[in-house]
Amino acid sequence: MTKCNYEQLLDPEIFRLAYELKKSKSGNMKPGADKETLDGFSQAYVEKVVRQLKDESFQFRPSRREFIPKADGKLRSLGIPSPRDKIVQEVMRRILEPVFEPRFLDSSHGFRPHRSPHTALRQIRRWTGTSWMIEGDIKGYFDNIDHHLLAGFIAELVKDQRLLGLYWKLVRAGYVNQGKAEPHLLTGVPQGRILSPLLSNIYLHQFDLFMEEIKVKYTTTGALSKNNPIYSKARNKYYKLVKSFKASSAEIIRARRDMLKMTYGIQTGSRVRYVRYADDWVIGVTGPKALAVQIKEEVSTFLQEKLKLSLQAEKTRITNLSRSEALFLGTLISITSRKYVQSQKVGGGHRRASLGRIRLCIPIDILIGKLSQMGACDEKGTPKAVTKWIFLNVGEIINKYMAVFRGYYNYYSFADDIHHLLRIIYILRYSAINTVARKLGLNTAKVIKRFGVDLIFRDHTNEIKHKLNFPRSLPNKRMNFALSPPSDPRVLFDTSCARIQC
């Protein structure tokens, strides 16, 4: 197992690597609460920080507290550290991550190497037969992480007390809010800090381990169901009537209708599955609703007693996937029903298609709502000009619209109902036409007549210079998951918010 110690922090080379990584993000070059930037980074700068770490006089500076709006109208608190502290946190992350990463379970996907929302959804895609889904929501998770509990979890693998002391300096650094100093809190790992994702995964790793116990406890061995004798009787009756020359069409139709109303299997076992992305998680249950309710209660008890966290009651739901849809990582989750399946041809006859396959769908109403916030359409999805883009040149306007589409298309390439993105294409196309019309002082009919619906602009050699290059068709690729879509699905839905880069 990889070990770490405080001496690794004193290597100037790791500081150079951390700086090269952080400087590539524009937000990291902005001043922190101390007005300092990374522009002054030099060998002397590194030597000074290393010297402070060596004699243990180094202190983290207060983070600048910022608030950004959440989808539910509330505010999300961010703690933006000074550029110097970002470098030190990045060095700490590089030292700690190889120690903890091998311990994390396959059920955890948030902010981990080679994992993403797509790897989490790909795992859920295989949950065939899941009947109930528990949608978990931890109340104010990042603000309620207990510092002492987290220190204990870190200390299980980190034995160097100087590293643990540096952790305590970090969580006790305090904040600056609108120029006023605020004391440190007893709980909380604010989003925005370089170390926050890793620390949050270390904390919830305990929950992952608990869920492994729940899976073993409630997952039965052997078959999950057996043949339903009542269905078998109805099926035999139907086939007997089909083969009979005396049965009327009405009798055959009635017998077939009665047969299809029944389930062909009786559930005799149960299965539990679990996936987590950062503080968002879902539990899939194959079994009765009572089992899902029992698991939810045990989860609530564990979080309260062992991690000092609580579930948000109104957002932690138990969803019947055959009748409704769960929402996880910006994706609607349900299971196939007779509405979506057809019998399959096998040999000379037909075979009844299997039910219970997981469907991952696009929350089209949410996407339209976000496009409305962006200004591309009204609340009903009617396209309109984005007036804040009128002052850009035509090429920049077209690039803006194509960037929005690519974000949605790359993320939802796996969706069972990917054809719904045609609605998004329609909105973006005619919003772009309206925006260009406003810029050029023309009506939309003249713009379409002159440049076409794809807004084809040519240069003096008649070569295409700018164009709305939307696809003409959207093929369904159910397993088209990528390792590196947007690292956080909320990026797709924050079109109206100024995001703070950290």
Side-chain angles (χ1 to χ4, degrees):
M1 180 178 291
T2 305
K3 295 183 179 181
C4 64
N5 58 67
Y6 194 79
E7 299 300 323
Q8 293 172 273
L9 281 170
L10 309 181
D11 182 4
E13 178 62 18
I14 198 172
F15 276 86
R16 187 190 66 79
L17 294 173
Y19 169 75
E20 291 296 328
L21 177 65
K22 293 292 114 185
K23 78 172 184 178
S24 61
K25 297 182 179 181
S26 60
N28 289 324
M29 303 305 290
K30 297 177 181 179
D34 54 5
K35 307 300 181 183
E36 186 179 274
T37 71
L38 286 182
D39 294 333
F41 185 88
S42 64
Q43 183 64 29
Y45 184 95
V46 172
E47 290 175 357
K48 178 182 178 182
V49 173
V50 170
R51 189 164 56 250
Q52 291 175 340
L53 289 168
K54 191 172 184 178
D55 62 20
E56 299 183 43
S57 64
F58 177 86
Q59 296 290 335
F60 286 99
R61 294 166 182 166
S63 298
R64 187 178 81 250
R65 189 183 285 278
E66 298 282 352
F67 296 91
I68 61 173
K70 297 168 64 174
D72 58 6
K74 298 180 181 178
L75 294 177
R76 178 181 291 120
S77 172
L78 298 180
I80 312 302
S82 70
R84 182 204 67 157
D85 289 358
K86 289 179 182 179
I87 298 296
V88 176
Q89 287 188 47
E90 174 60 24
V91 171
M92 292 177 66
R93 185 194 67 79
R94 285 171 172 265
I95 293 172
L96 294 174
E97 188 173 77
V99 176
F100 287 93
E101 178 61 30
R103 289 196 71 192
F104 293 154
L105 305 183
D106 286 340
S107 55
S108 170
H109 295 264
F111 310 114
R112 294 182 59 192
H114 310 300
R115 289 176 179 256
S116 70
H118 273 204
T119 60
L121 292 168
R122 179 173 59 187
Q123 197 167 329
I124 293 173
R125 174 72 87 183
R126 300 188 176 99
W127 290 5
T128 300
T130 300
S131 46
W132 303 93
M133 184 163 282
I134 306 170
E135 304 171 60
D137 191 279
I138 298 174
K139 188 175 182 179
Y141 170 62
F142 284 91
D143 295 331
N144 290 296
I145 293 175
D146 187 276
H147 293 164
H148 286 85
L149 285 178
L150 178 56
F153 300 147
I154 296 174
E156 291 178 7
L157 295 183
V158 177
K159 304 303 179 183
D160 194 319
Q161 292 301 313
R162 291 176 297 174
L163 269 178
L164 293 173
L166 196 58
Y167 155 79
W168 280 111
K169 289 180 180 180
L170 173 66
V171 298
R172 290 171 175 169
Y175 303 92
V176 172
N177 186 8
Q178 296 181 345
K180 296 181 180 180
E182 293 182 352
H184 76 274
L185 303 175
L186 299 178
T187 62
V189 178
Q191 298 177 72
R193 287 179 176 171
I194 307 300
L195 266 180
S196 292
L198 176 60
L199 296 180
S200 68
N201 274 333
I202 293 172
Y203 201 77
L204 281 184
H205 176 64
Q206 310 304 315
F207 180 52
D208 298 340
L209 294 174
F210 168 75
M211 283 308 306
E212 288 300 306
E213 297 176 2
I214 289 291
K215 286 162 65 176
V216 171
K217 179 179 178 181
Y218 290 114
T219 298
T220 58
T221 57
L224 293 174
S225 62
K226 65 178 182 180
N227 289 334
N228 182 355
I230 299 177
Y231 171 79
S232 298
K233 184 177 180 180
R235 181 188 58 189
N236 293 337
K237 177 182 177 182
Y238 166 68
Y239 284 129
K240 185 176 181 180
L241 290 173
V242 169
K243 295 177 181 179
S244 171
F245 293 102
K246 297 181 181 180
S248 66
S249 297
E251 288 179 303
I252 294 174
I253 292 172
R254 191 181 307 112
R256 184 175 185 276
R257 187 184 298 119
D258 292 341
M259 176 187 71
L260 292 177
K261 286 180 180 178
M262 305 174 186
T263 57
Y264 54 86
I266 297 176
Q267 201 166 72
T268 57
S270 60
R271 180 179 293 149
V272 178
R273 299 175 172 106
Y274 162 76
V275 157
R276 179 176 64 83
Y277 184 92
D279 59 324
D280 295 325
W281 48 268
V282 289
I283 301 171
V285 179
T286 302
K289 182 178 181 180
L291 175 58
V293 172
Q294 174 66 24
I295 292 173
K296 178 184 173 183
E297 291 175 354
E298 292 187 28
V299 165
S300 179
T301 300
F302 173 84
L303 291 174
Q304 287 179 344
E305 295 182 354
K306 302 299 183 180
L307 298 180
K308 299 183 181 180
L309 300 171
S310 59
L311 293 176
Q312 195 154 324
E314 62 271 18
K315 291 187 177 180
T316 303
R317 296 180 290 265
I318 298 176
T319 303
N320 184 339
L321 294 184
S322 64
R323 298 180 181 178
S324 188
E325 297 167 315
L327 181 64
F328 181 61
L329 296 180
T331 304
L332 295 174
I333 304 172
S334 62
I335 59 174
T336 52
S337 62
R338 294 187 179 92
K339 178 181 178 181
Y340 297 106
V341 299
Q342 296 177 344
S343 59
Q344 303 167 348
K345 288 186 177 181
V346 178
H350 287 74
R351 183 181 67 189
R352 183 176 183 172
S354 61
L355 305 178
R357 189 186 72 177
I358 290 290
R359 281 177 54 83
L360 302 176
C361 296
I362 300 170
I364 192 67
D365 291 339
I366 294 178
L367 267 59
I368 291 175
K370 295 305 175 182
L371 290 179
S372 174
Q373 291 179 22
M374 189 181 82
C377 64
D378 61 19
E379 294 180 354
K380 295 182 180 179
T382 304
K384 63 180 184 179
V386 179
T387 54
K388 62 185 177 183
W389 291 350
I390 290 174
F391 303 101
L392 303 174
N393 64 50
V394 171
E396 290 173 332
I397 291 173
I398 290 175
N399 289 339
K400 286 277 189 182
Y401 281 101
M402 290 306 303
V404 172
F405 171 73
R406 282 193 297 271
Y408 288 136
Y409 182 62
N410 289 340
Y411 190 82
Y412 289 110
S413 56
F414 58 82
D416 289 273
D417 61 344
I418 195 169
H419 61 276
H420 280 165
L421 283 184
L422 293 173
R423 178 81 182 280
I424 301 301
I425 291 177
Y426 168 80
I427 293 173
L428 293 175
R429 183 190 303 280
Y430 284 94
S431 174
I433 290 172
N434 277 280
T435 303
V436 170
R438 289 281 299 274
K439 178 175 180 61
L440 300 180
L442 303 172
N443 60 42
T444 56
K446 288 183 178 180
V447 169
I448 293 173
K449 184 177 180 180
R450 184 181 299 183
F451 304 109
V453 293
D454 287 332
L455 293 181
I456 300 174
F457 286 80
R458 300 178 183 274
D459 60 18
H460 65 280
T461 63
N462 207 35
E463 292 291 326
I464 295 177
K465 189 176 181 181
H466 305 296
K467 177 185 178 182
L468 287 174
N469 196 25
F470 294 124
R472 299 299 179 188
S473 62
L474 298 171
N476 187 292
K477 299 178 180 179
R478 297 183 66 253
M479 297 305 292
N480 192 26
F481 295 99
L483 288 178
S484 300
S487 59
D488 186 336
R490 288 173 294 197
V491 172
L492 290 173
F493 306 124
D494 283 348
T495 54
S496 64
C497 305
R499 296 187 62 79
I500 299 174
Q501 297 194 21
C502 310

